[in-house]
Amino acid sequence: MWRSLLRTFASAPSTTIKPPSSPSPTLSHLCSSREYSVKSNKAVVTKAKKGKSKSDAKSDTSSSAVSAAADEFDDEDVRARRLAEDESDRSLDVGPNGRPLFTSTPSLSQLSRTDACTYMKFSMEELNAVLPEGLPLGMVKEFEESKQTALLVRRSFLDLRDNFRRIVDPPLQSFDAKDSKVRKQIVLDGPVSCGKSIALAMLVHWARDEGWLVVYVPNGREWTHGGVFYKNQQTGFWDTPMCAGLLLFDFLKYNESRLQQLPCKMSDPIPLGEGAGVGWMKGVDSMAMPEGSTLYDLIQTGVTHTHAAVGVLVRLRKELSLVKDIPVLLVIDQYNNWFTFSGYEEPVTVRSCRPVHAKELAMVNAFRSMMRNDMMVGAFSHSTAVGKLRKDLPDVPADARVNFTRYNLDEAASVCHYYLRQRLIRREAFSEEGWKKIFYLSNGNGSEMRWLLPFMR
């Protein structure tokens, strides 16, 4: 709707408003003048119809055709039908300089540097199966606007993928990587809408395709805001049992068969806490796992018993550090929310409360540290701003932070041609000069480019 209004205002002829030379008319004058003007307009229209020339008829026909084309462009149903018809026309799948717009590589594992700046098609069934925790908001918006489940293969994603691939397979080298240093712990930082969340989701997709065990937290802010919270006197940390139960449940969705093959290596009793809305268990403060239990049994215990959810999640973090048969990767989005105050408060007096820091939460305390020997990647989300953090963060290696940039000129060219292919831009209005202006105007911000490109003239 907003785009239709903007196009209407942009196409309307400019008029000059002159100040009135006489006093403002009364209501009766306005009514009478309005009635007279309507009658006069009807008379003019009648005369024009009688004396219309052939040239006028042609101009009216052409203007109506342009108007119909504009209406067709704005109608989402018509656009969807046109896109369905375009699927069989491969001549439209052309990117910058005549290069293919879509890659023919069948999987994320087989992508090479030559596939950079091309689009890779996915299916929603595939994405929902491999990412049961949920898709990033930016990915969902991209799919909705473009009406196509395709993502741009970026050089930055390939560097991120190859970094962790080289940890598991050291002889494998990225032949033209700018930074040859391998990092087991990475923190992605960069401006808003630079694609960090989408890159993390694609990394999780790739790692699970490779058979890795991946803990994926797409919304780290949920660990510090919302839900019930209790102070656990045994551990001294704050428990959030509802959040812990949801994470355990999501973790089981994709990894169930693999977790059944991994035995528990720790036999210490699991401390219990206050259940979500049900209070404490009477006379019981810990739970022991039966001998021969697997990680699946451990997680199932936390899903079934809300009192044990937080304790099981903390134990799972320790168990994952002991897994050697399968590569384990921890992927945390909105990681910056774990270094500031949470949304919880502890009553101090009748009239005052103390804000609870994220590090005081049992779940955050267990998963935040990058000082272990585990593969872990986190991303700062500036759309969920928590204030400016210092460069040297606690529990994070000094060289872990990596800058994730917005689109460069080559990537923007592919993006613009893709949106042209998906009928977000009129072909008669598309030009290299036009999309470059929008690229520089948006400073490579993907969401802003997607919003501005339909208004290209």
Side-chain angles (χ1 to χ4, degrees), residues 285-328:
D285 59 0
S286 64
M287 177 182 294
M289 293 298 299
E291 186 176 354
S293 297
T294 63
L295 292 185
Y296 173 81
D297 299 325
L298 175 67
I299 297 173
Q300 195 65 42
T301 301
V303 173
T304 307
H305 301 88
T306 181
H307 302 86
V310 176
V312 165
L313 188 62
V314 174
R315 174 63 57 83
L316 176 65
R317 176 68 180 91
K318 298 176 182 178
E319 289 280 2
L320 291 176
S321 297
L322 301 176
V323 174
K324 303 301 179 185
D325 300 333
I326 303 173
V328 178

Side-chain angles (χ1 to χ4, degrees), residues 181 183 185-187 370-371 390-403:
K181 182 178 181 180
R183 295 180 173 90
Q185 298 84 25
I186 292 178
V187 176
M370 286 188 173
M371 304 309 289
R390 66 186 191 186
K391 185 175 181 180
D392 298 327
L393 296 173
D395 302 324
V396 176
D399 61 343
R401 192 175 299 194
V402 174
N403 187 43

Side-chain angles (χ1 to χ4, degrees), residues 42-59:
K42 286 183 179 179
V44 172
V45 171
T46 304
K47 292 180 180 179
K49 285 184 178 179
K50 291 181 179 179
K52 184 181 290 186
S53 62
K54 293 183 179 179
S55 59
D56 294 337
K58 289 182 180 180
S59 62

Side-chain angles (χ1 to χ4, degrees), residues 242-455:
M242 289 182 62
C243 184
L246 289 174
L247 178 70
L248 293 172
F249 182 75
D250 289 339
F251 187 56
L252 275 181
K253 289 180 182 178
Y254 188 84
N255 304 293
E256 181 176 342
S257 59
R258 197 163 293 275
L259 291 169
Q260 291 175 347
Q261 304 171 0
L262 298 173
C264 293
K265 297 184 179 181
M266 301 182 68
S267 57
D268 299 339
I270 298 173
L272 302 180
E274 189 171 351
V278 295
W280 294 85
M281 292 185 68
K282 294 182 179 180
V284 182
D285 59 0
S286 64
M287 177 182 294
M289 293 298 299
E291 186 176 354
S293 297
T294 63
L295 292 185
Y296 173 81
D297 299 325
L298 175 67
I299 297 173
Q300 195 65 42
T301 301
V303 173
T304 307
H305 301 88
T306 181
H307 302 86
V310 176
V312 165
L313 188 62
V314 174
R315 174 63 57 83
L316 176 65
R317 176 68 180 91
K318 298 176 182 178
E319 289 280 2
L320 291 176
S321 297
L322 301 176
V323 174
K324 303 301 179 185
D325 300 333
I326 303 173
V328 178
L329 177 64
L330 307 180
V331 180
I332 315 296
D333 202 358
Q334 302 178 359
Y335 185 58
N336 49 329
N337 286 272
W338 293 3
F339 293 90
T340 184
F341 288 99
S342 69
Y344 309 124
E345 293 182 338
E346 178 185 15
V348 178
T349 65
V350 178
R351 299 182 179 180
S352 65
C353 293
R354 179 188 69 87
V356 177
H357 198 277
K359 65 182 179 182
E360 300 179 61
L361 305 177
M363 291 174 55
V364 174
N365 181 73
F367 279 82
R368 190 182 76 167
S369 177
M370 286 188 173
M371 304 309 289
R372 301 182 177 94
N373 196 33
D374 303 319
M375 290 188 294
M376 183 173 177
V377 56
F380 285 176
S381 173
H382 296 289
S383 57
T384 57
V386 297
K388 188 174 182 180
L389 299 175
R390 66 186 191 186
K391 185 175 181 180
D392 298 327
L393 296 173
D395 302 324
V396 176
D399 61 343
R401 192 175 299 194
V402 174
N403 187 43
F404 203 88
T405 61
R406 289 175 174 171
Y407 291 145
N408 57 32
L409 193 61
D410 293 334
E411 292 171 338
S414 298
V415 169
C416 294
H417 281 77
Y418 172 68
Y419 290 154
L420 176 66
R421 166 67 177 79
Q422 295 305 116
R423 293 181 175 268
L424 279 171
I425 313 171
R426 291 189 179 90
R427 291 193 174 274
E428 60 271 15
F430 184 78
S431 66
E432 184 172 0
E433 180 183 1
W435 72 255
K436 283 185 177 180
K437 286 181 179 178
I438 291 178
F439 165 71
Y440 290 117
L441 179 65
S442 62
N443 195 23
N445 185 316
S447 60
E448 290 184 7
M449 286 181 59
R450 188 168 60 245
W451 189 84
L452 289 171
L453 281 170
F455 307 110

Side-chain angles (χ1 to χ4, degrees), residues 35-104:
E35 182 179 357
Y36 174 76
S37 62
V38 171
K39 292 180 179 178
S40 301
N41 289 337
K42 286 183 179 179
V44 172
V45 171
T46 304
K47 292 180 180 179
K49 285 184 178 179
K50 291 181 179 179
K52 184 181 290 186
S53 62
K54 293 183 179 179
S55 59
D56 294 337
K58 289 182 180 180
S59 62
D60 290 346
T61 303
S62 60
S63 62
S64 62
V66 172
S67 177
D71 293 340
E72 178 179 310
F73 185 84
D74 294 333
D75 193 325
E76 292 298 326
D77 294 333
V78 175
R79 176 171 166 247
R81 188 167 64 251
R82 293 285 186 265
L83 288 174
E85 296 172 356
D86 292 344
E87 283 298 317
S88 58
D89 189 357
R90 299 303 177 191
S91 63
L92 299 175
D93 301 340
V94 180
N97 301 321
R99 299 193 306 267
L101 186 59
F102 297 96
T103 178
S104 59

